[in-house]
């Protein structure tokens, strides 16, 4: 038994979501006594979130599943500043039009994981541009800046690590933690929000918000962070040689998303099932205990469950079936990712390294050349030995495609467009 009174805190601890909490007993009591409103902020630096944000999305899902109200806070205002947490350099500043476009691209993902509406536990989507963009600077500093000391701010990792590395930290970024703390106060006023959730790198920012709410509003606020997720081999979650694992379907296909989870390391299967699926803990314990080659069946369950949550059950099952046909029967299948190339280009022939790059099987021409030199590139099952070999219309098979393979698990079909 966890020893907690609330289902919310029990579930979070049983599934491994908790790293730090400002007052675990106080939050547990509040969650046991009624509906808690909590938020996580997401900056709008790209038009899609990637799998590195998935743990935070799942935290909001667990919150709602246990009867509480999640707020998805879009950082339309703070994105104009840039969060220095975990960064070695300043982010490129985006225009308001870019931020608006990114916000629109991100919104749809949350509807896969949360239920939005007007009910007591229905999710809310807010945007901190609504209150940050019109702040009067001097008035804001007089009212809120006096609660922050430079001495204390210099002790937070988001600032300290940048300075320790002798990387510049702009005054614009230095303001970020004040703005994030103010977000918490505004959400407390507008939505009676009492809990901020976030990754472990946000601990300092979250504590600032808890303290600011106590000082200026006399509110009891709470903060809870999740651990940094790394793989069993020590790699950062979601970082692959092929680039980011995007959550938007127009950035990454359901098949490639399924494959990402299917390639989970053996030692991570149980942990990822607890964090990223809704499977019952008893079933997860059974899958986690599988040994030898049977662990691959648990990986398929993980992949299908994770893909179904994001892309829908039909797309997940189609991805699983495509993988089965491709890898277990050795044949190509129309469910594989497809690259369309102008017919005229295929007639002329495209250098092998460039075609593999364009297909997304390598991040750059240099990486594609290394893939070919290392013997990992195949065309229709045959090894490619010459990185400059022209691949063209003559390689098109009876099904009208050319199958490119990088290793045993990554495949793309090329067809004339």
């Amino acid at each position: 038994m966890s020893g907690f009174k609330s289902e919310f805190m029990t579930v979070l601890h049983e599934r491994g979501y908790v790293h730090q909490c400002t007052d675990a007993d106080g939050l547990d009591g509040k969650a046991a006594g009624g509906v808690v409103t909590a938020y996580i902020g997401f900056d709008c630096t790209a038009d899609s979130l990637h799998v590195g944000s998935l743990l935070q999305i799942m935290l909001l899902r667990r919150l709602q599943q246990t009867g509480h109200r999640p707020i998805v806070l879009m950082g339309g205002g703070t994105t104009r500043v840039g969060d220095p947490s975990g960064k070695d350099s300043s982010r490129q500043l985006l225009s308001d039009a870019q931020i608006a476009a990114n916000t629109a691209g991100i919104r749809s993902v949350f509807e896969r994981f949360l239920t939005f509406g007007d009910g007591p536990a229905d999710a809310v989507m807010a945007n901190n541009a609504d209150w940050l963009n019109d702040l009067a600077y001097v008035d804001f500093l007089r009212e809120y800046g006096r609660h922050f000391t430079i001495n204390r701010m210099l002790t937070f990792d988001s600032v300290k690590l940048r300075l320790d590395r002798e990387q510049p930290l702009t005054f614009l970024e230095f303001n970020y933690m004040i703005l994030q703390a103010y977000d918490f106060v505004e959400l407390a006023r507008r939505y009676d929000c009492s809990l901020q959730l976030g990754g472990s790198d946000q601990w300092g920012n979250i504590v600032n918000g808890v303290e600011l709410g106590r000082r200026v509003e006399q509110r009891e606020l709470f903060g809870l962070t999740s651990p940094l997720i790394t793989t069993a081999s020590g790699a950062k979650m979601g970082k692959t040689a092929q680039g980011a694992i995007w959550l938007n379907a127009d950035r990454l296909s359901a098949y490639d998303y399924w494959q990402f989870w299917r390639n989970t390391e053996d030692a991570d299967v149980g942990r990822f099932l607890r964090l990223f699926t809704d499977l019952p803990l008893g079933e997860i314990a059974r899958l986690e205990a599988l040994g030898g080659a049977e662990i691959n069946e648990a990986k398929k369950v993980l992949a299908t469950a994770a893909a179904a949550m994001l892309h829908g059950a039909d797309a997940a099952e189609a991805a699983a079936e495509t993988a089965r046909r491709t890898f277990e029967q050795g044949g190509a299948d129309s469910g594989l990712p497809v690259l369309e190339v102008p017919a005229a280009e295929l007639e002329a022939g495209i250098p092998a390294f460039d075609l593999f790059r364009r297909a997304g099987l390598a991040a750059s021409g240099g990486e594609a050349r290394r893939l070919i030199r290392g013997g990992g590139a195949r065309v229709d099952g045959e090894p490619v030995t010459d990185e400059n070999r022209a691949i063209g219309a003559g390689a098109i098979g009876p099904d009208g495609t050319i199958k490119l393979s990088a290793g045993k698990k990554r495949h793309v079909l090329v067809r004339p467009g």
Side-chain angles (χ1 to χ4, degrees):
M1 294 292 291
S2 66
F4 290 107
K5 295 178 289 185
S6 69
E7 184 186 5
F8 172 61
M9 290 294 279
T10 300
V11 167
L12 258 58
H13 278 83
E14 286 180 343
R15 287 187 172 261
Y17 288 98
V18 180
H19 179 63
Q20 291 171 294
C21 185
T22 56
D23 178 3
D25 290 338
L27 178 58
D28 182 44
K30 188 173 181 67
V35 175
V36 170
T37 299
Y39 89 97
I40 299 178
F42 298 86
D43 277 346
C44 313
T45 53
D47 62 1
S48 171
L49 297 175
H50 54 71
V51 80
S53 297
L54 187 58
L55 186 70
Q56 306 312 312
I57 298 173
M58 291 300 297
L59 263 177
L60 293 176
R61 183 177 177 87
R62 301 298 181 220
L63 179 83
Q64 188 169 57
Q65 286 174 333
T66 54
H68 304 284
R69 181 169 69 154
I71 297 176
V72 177
L73 181 64
M74 306 303 291
T78 41
T79 302
R80 301 174 79 188
V81 176
D83 183 2
S85 302
K87 306 294 185 297
D88 284 334
S89 59
S90 301
R91 281 177 170 158
Q92 179 183 357
L93 294 182
L94 303 178
S95 69
D96 289 347
Q98 288 173 306
I99 292 172
N102 289 346
T103 301
I106 289 170
R107 281 176 179 268
S108 60
V109 166
F110 292 98
E111 295 174 355
R112 291 287 190 179
F113 294 87
L114 303 171
T115 300
F116 289 84
D118 299 321
D122 284 345
V124 174
M125 187 165 283
N127 191 326
N128 63 15
D130 293 345
W131 54 83
L132 294 183
N133 285 4
D134 296 324
L135 282 177
Y137 184 61
V138 174
D139 291 342
F140 177 75
L141 288 182
R142 277 177 58 87
E143 181 68 23
Y144 300 100
R146 60 193 175 90
H147 296 290
F148 294 83
T149 66
I150 298 296
N151 315 59
R152 181 112 192 276
M153 292 168 79
L154 288 173
T155 67
F156 288 113
D157 283 348
S158 58
V159 174
K160 188 173 182 294
L161 294 177
R162 181 82 73 82
L163 297 180
D164 286 348
R165 297 186 186 115
E166 298 184 356
Q167 299 285 350
L169 179 73
T170 67
F171 183 70
L172 180 66
E173 294 171 288
F174 196 60
N175 276 271
Y176 187 94
M177 65 178 67
I178 302 178
L179 296 176
Q180 184 170 328
Y182 179 66
D183 281 346
F184 201 173
V185 172
E186 274 293 329
L187 290 170
R189 290 170 177 162
R190 295 175 183 229
Y191 299 98
D192 195 27
C193 179
S194 57
L195 171 62
Q196 183 180 174
L197 303 166
S200 57
D201 62 333
Q202 294 296 317
W203 177 249
N205 292 335
I206 290 173
V207 169
N208 278 334
V210 169
E211 294 181 352
L212 187 65
R214 175 176 52 81
R215 289 173 181 168
V216 303
E217 291 284 304
Q218 292 75 54
R219 286 179 180 264
E220 184 182 35
L221 303 180
F222 301 90
L224 185 149
T225 63
S226 57
L228 174 68
I229 301 298
T230 57
T231 65
S233 61
K236 191 172 181 180
M237 172 73 178
K239 294 294 184 182
T240 70
Q242 292 73 51
I245 304 300
W246 298 103
L247 300 184
N248 283 22
D250 60 349
R251 297 288 295 267
L252 189 79
S253 71
Y255 175 82
D256 284 335
Y257 190 72
W258 189 95
Q259 276 296 328
F260 166 75
W261 293 105
R262 170 62 180 83
N263 292 334
T264 294
E265 295 178 35
D266 292 1
D268 289 326
V269 172
R271 183 166 57 120
F272 286 2
L273 282 165
R274 282 187 286 275
L275 292 172
F276 299 113
T277 80
D278 288 341
L279 266 66
L281 293 176
E283 174 66 4
I284 292 172
R286 183 190 72 80
L287 291 167
E288 189 176 21
L290 295 175
E294 286 187 324
I295 195 67
N296 290 323
E297 296 307 310
K299 293 180 185 182
K300 293 174 187 176
V301 172
L302 167 63
T304 302
M309 199 175 292
L310 179 63
H311 293 284
D314 289 347
E317 291 297 338
E321 177 61 15
T322 296
R324 186 185 68 81
R325 291 181 185 174
T326 302
F327 306 129
E328 295 176 11
Q329 297 180 357
D333 186 90
S334 60
L336 289 172
V338 173
L339 170 69
E340 289 196 352
V341 175
E345 282 193 67
L346 278 179
E347 284 294 335
I350 300 169
F353 79 90
D354 191 41
L355 191 58
F356 274 79
R357 177 193 63 80
R358 289 164 64 173
L361 294 172
S364 65
E367 184 178 304
R369 291 179 186 275
R370 288 191 291 275
L371 174 71
I372 293 168
R373 291 172 195 158
R378 292 177 179 266
V379 174
D380 292 325
E382 295 298 319
V384 181
T385 57
D386 180 358
E387 61 204 55
N388 294 307
R389 167 191 158 189
I391 299 174
I396 297 175
D399 63 350
T401 69
I402 305 168
K403 182 183 176 186
L404 306 183
S405 304
K408 296 180 179 179
K409 296 181 178 180
R410 297 171 52 233
H411 309 272
V412 173
L413 300 180
V414 177
R415 69 183 179 202

